[in-house]
Every structure is written in C-alpha cells, then in structure tokens.
Amino acid sequence: ASSLAVSPGEKLWVLTRLAEMADRLGHSGEADAYFKAALALNIPDAYLLAVYAEFLLDENRHREVVALLKGKERSDVLLVRLALAEKALALPQAKEHEAAIRARFDAARLRNDKLHIQDEARFYLYFLNDPREALRLAQENWQTQREPSDARMLLEAALAAKDVAAAKPALEWLAQSRIEDRHLQKLAAKIGELKP
C-alpha cells in the first residue's frame, strides 16, 4: 500500500492472494474487502473473478455471483460458477447454462482437452448428482494438479461418494503441506467421521 513502485498488476496479484489467505483462515470480512479492492483496480482477470465467485458461493451470496459474472459466460470456469449460483436461486437460465456447460465438456473430451477437469468433476457432482464420476474426474485431475482447490474437489467428491480411501491422497497432501484452510479442514473432519 505504501510502495509507489508497485504496478497495478502486482497490486492485483497481492490483493487476490491476501483475499484467499483471509478466506482460508475464516476471516470473511477481510477477504471480502481484499477482493473488492482487487476488483476496484478494474483489471480484467478471470482468476480473480473465479476465486471471488467461489468465496461468494461459500458465503451463500448467490445473487452477487450472478451480478459479478453476468456477461462473462464465454469462460467455462466462470460459467460453472454462474450456473451454480443460478441453480441455488432456482433461476430459469440455470438449465440453459447447465446444457451449455455439458456441451462444452463433451466437446473438450472429444479434443482430449483436460484443462478444466476439476470443473467437470464439479459439474458431475453438483449438476448431474453423479458422485462416482465426479470422484473419478477429481482423481484424474489430482494426478496433474495439486492446488488447494484440487484437494477440495477431491475431498468433496470422496465425501459425496462415501469413499474414505479415495480421499487419502488429498488428506496426506493436507497433512504434509500443513496448509491452513478452513474448507479443507472441515471436509477432512467430515471424511474422518465416515466408516472406512
């Protein structure tokens, strides 16, 4: 904040990371303030929009997700988050967006494009109510992507499929990395309550 040499892009990066850290620690008010400060820079950034939408979904602020992502449907990642918010609000466009997402994932599969496999896993879990396929996709994603969001998807799918063994790689990563993330810790606790 005090440096005059920091570029707008660097400010965006720092504010986004601060928002993510505050969210992981459960400081929702701080996270929201950092996200809004990052958005106020008016730099188009799909990652910022995706993680802020994620935060808003976790906070059950679905209308804000719709407002944030309206007109940004060309991005698969953003469209999934928009459709999740629309579904939660029972908006008519949720079905239309669900069909568009399915078509995009089908086309990606034909091209052998696995760029958004985490979001495809999410689609199978939350739109198609297919925890087994969601888990298979989350496991496939885990082979190449090991970020907190990837661990979260694997844990959510394993929990929905009631498959404790499938959660093990993400649980081990969580223990080894010692990452502090309230979402991951909550999921790990729920999985710990399942019978192996």
Side-chain angles (χ1 to χ4, degrees):
S2 62
S3 175
L4 299 176
V6 177
S7 72
E10 289 170 319
K11 284 182 185 176
L12 176 74
W13 186 87
V14 169
L15 289 168
T16 304
R17 294 310 159 293
L18 288 170
E20 289 178 295
M21 285 188 276
D23 177 36
R24 287 185 185 140
L25 294 172
H27 304 288
S28 297
E30 281 181 47
D32 198 40
Y34 284 129
F35 278 127
K36 286 178 178 171
L39 287 169
L41 295 171
N42 289 317
I43 300 172
D45 189 83
Y47 182 80
L48 169 61
L49 292 173
V51 293
Y52 189 40
E54 226 23 79
F55 168 79
L56 293 172
L57 287 168
D58 285 337
E59 297 286 311
N60 294 313
R61 292 163 58 184
H62 303 106
R63 291 200 186 286
E64 291 175 65
V65 175
V66 173
L68 178 71
L69 301 181
K70 186 177 180 182
K72 309 218 171 23
E73 295 88 348
R74 291 185 66 190
S75 163
D76 295 348
V77 172
L78 300 181
L79 182 59
V80 169
R81 282 144 186 84
L82 175 61
L84 283 168
E86 292 169 341
K87 183 178 179 185
L89 295 167
L91 297 178
Q93 56 268 47
K95 285 290 183 192
E96 176 187 324
H97 286 150
E98 180 181 333
I101 294 165
R102 175 175 271 200
R104 290 181 192 186
F105 286 140
D106 288 346
R109 195 174 294 118
L110 289 173
R111 295 188 311 268
N112 201 29
D113 177 356
K114 300 186 185 234
L115 186 62
H116 300 299
I117 197 166
Q118 180 197 128
D119 285 312
E120 187 175 4
R122 192 171 203 189
F123 179 73
Y124 271 88
L125 186 58
Y126 293 111
F127 288 95
L128 303 182
N129 297 314
D130 187 345
R132 281 275 143 218
E133 182 61 10
L135 179 56
R136 186 193 71 73
L137 290 163
Q139 288 172 313
E140 185 178 341
N141 179 63
W142 188 254
Q143 299 306 310
T144 57
Q145 299 289 325
R146 297 199 179 175
E147 297 290 327
S149 61
D150 303 302
R152 183 174 175 175
M153 188 66 249
L154 181 55
L155 293 174
E156 286 178 359
L159 183 62
K162 295 180 175 47
D163 190 333
V164 176
K168 189 176 177 185
L171 294 173
E172 288 175 349
W173 175 85
L174 183 58
Q176 290 167 358
S177 69
R178 299 173 65 188
I179 190 169
E180 295 179 41
D181 187 314
R182 65 185 172 122
H183 306 293
L184 297 178
Q185 290 158 347
K186 192 183 297 184
L187 287 165
K190 286 181 180 178
I191 289 169
E193 294 168 6
L194 293 176
K195 293 181 182 176

